[in-house]
Amino acid sequence: MPTQIKISKEMILDAAFEIVRKDGMEKLSNRELATRLKCSIRPIYYQFENVEDMQKELYKKIEKYFYKFLMDHMVEGIPQYKQIGINYIKFAKKEKKLFQTLFMSEFGLTPNAFVSKDGEDYKEIEKLIKISTNLDADDIKDFHTKMWIFCHGIATLVANNTVYLSDKQIEQLLSYEFQALMLLEEEPNNKWVLKETE
């Protein structure tokens, strides 16, 4: 008689992660999980109180993977904070469904929530912002929010296959935005005013 494999919470989350990674959150169901795990749906109900509970745990797993992706793809010769932006957009290119789940769904984070996170993952990014900008702690959040909204706009276009940008184009766009924001930090009144046309 074949030995029964105990279906753990981690096995279910791993299977759920792969389903969402390939087909998006809308394809995730207990039936789909059971098929992938080659089991009945009973172990899924046993490990999680309900679907919302499982989705919450899965979201944390995807978020952890996202932050790891940002930090694991650093290269020499490019400022690290700039690389966070580049890797954010690369994540949107490479992991479209995971990006959409994190930032373009009901489970997603708003810009304010994203930059206000208190976890160790965000604290690492905060350190890189400090190194690149020399801003005070009070100004870092505001600066990062503006930078993130710009970066997120590009990433969203990329994730939806609306535009194609080369790595060089992405680097240039992020550099321009970073420089423009830093100029405004140094001289807040240095604002270009739209002239009235006759």
Side-chain angles (χ1 to χ4, degrees), residues 57-71:
E57 290 291 317
L58 175 60
Y59 183 88
K60 287 179 190 171
K61 185 179 178 73
I62 296 170
E63 190 179 12
K64 196 81 182 162
Y65 176 77
F66 162 72
Y67 275 110
K68 189 172 185 307
F69 185 98
L70 294 188
M71 304 308 289

Side-chain angles (χ1 to χ4, degrees), residues 27-40:
K27 292 290 183 184
L28 183 62
S29 67
N30 286 345
R31 188 178 296 278
E32 190 66 33
L33 278 169
T35 301
R36 183 172 281 262
L37 291 165
K38 297 183 171 59
C39 68
S40 70

Side-chain angles (χ1 to χ4, degrees), residues 147-165:
M147 197 69 213
W148 182 76
I149 288 170
F150 179 81
C151 184
H152 179 70
I154 296 171
T156 302
L157 291 169
V158 167
N160 286 327
N161 299 315
T162 306
V163 297
Y164 174 80
L165 295 168

Side-chain angles (χ1 to χ4, degrees), residues 16-189:
F17 180 90
E18 291 306 326
I19 291 167
V20 172
R21 189 181 197 180
K22 182 175 179 290
D23 297 312
M25 188 66 90
E26 62 275 10
K27 292 290 183 184
L28 183 62
S29 67
N30 286 345
R31 188 178 296 278
E32 190 66 33
L33 278 169
T35 301
R36 183 172 281 262
L37 291 165
K38 297 183 171 59
C39 68
S40 70
I41 61 172
R42 188 174 295 170
I44 300 163
Y45 284 120
Y46 176 76
Q47 294 291 355
F48 296 97
E49 286 182 30
N50 51 49
V51 176
E52 290 74 26
D53 183 39
M54 183 185 64
Q55 286 177 339
K56 202 179 290 183
E57 290 291 317
L58 175 60
Y59 183 88
K60 287 179 190 171
K61 185 179 178 73
I62 296 170
E63 190 179 12
K64 196 81 182 162
Y65 176 77
F66 162 72
Y67 275 110
K68 189 172 185 307
F69 185 98
L70 294 188
M71 304 308 289
D72 283 357
H73 290 76
M74 296 291 188
V75 295
E76 294 292 327
I78 301 173
Q80 289 188 308
Y81 181 51
K82 183 177 180 181
Q83 285 190 69
I84 293 292
I86 291 168
N87 291 342
Y88 185 96
I89 296 165
K90 277 186 179 173
F91 184 85
K93 269 185 181 181
K94 186 179 176 186
E95 302 285 4
K96 286 182 168 58
K97 295 297 183 182
L98 295 181
F99 179 84
Q100 289 165 3
T101 300
L102 279 179
F103 298 110
M104 299 168 64
S105 73
E106 61 185 298
F107 305 95
L109 289 168
T110 63
N112 192 52
F114 181 73
V115 299
S116 299
K117 294 184 73 60
D118 298 322
E120 288 304 312
D121 295 316
Y122 176 68
K123 287 192 187 329
E124 283 303 309
I125 293 174
E126 201 172 34
K127 285 179 197 169
L128 299 181
I129 300 168
K130 179 71 176 169
I131 292 165
S132 293
T133 64
N134 242 356
L135 292 171
D136 294 333
D138 292 340
D139 296 325
I140 283 177
K141 180 185 169 186
D142 182 60
F143 181 88
H144 186 49
T145 300
K146 291 170 184 170
M147 197 69 213
W148 182 76
I149 288 170
F150 179 81
C151 184
H152 179 70
I154 296 171
T156 302
L157 291 169
V158 167
N160 286 327
N161 299 315
T162 306
V163 297
Y164 174 80
L165 295 168
S166 67
D167 290 347
K168 187 173 182 181
Q169 287 173 311
I170 289 166
E171 281 189 48
Q172 284 179 334
L173 285 168
L174 293 178
S175 289
Y176 295 154
E177 180 66 8
F178 180 85
Q179 288 165 27
L181 289 176
M182 285 308 295
L183 283 172
L184 283 172
E185 287 292 336
E186 290 166 15
E187 183 48 67
N189 295 320

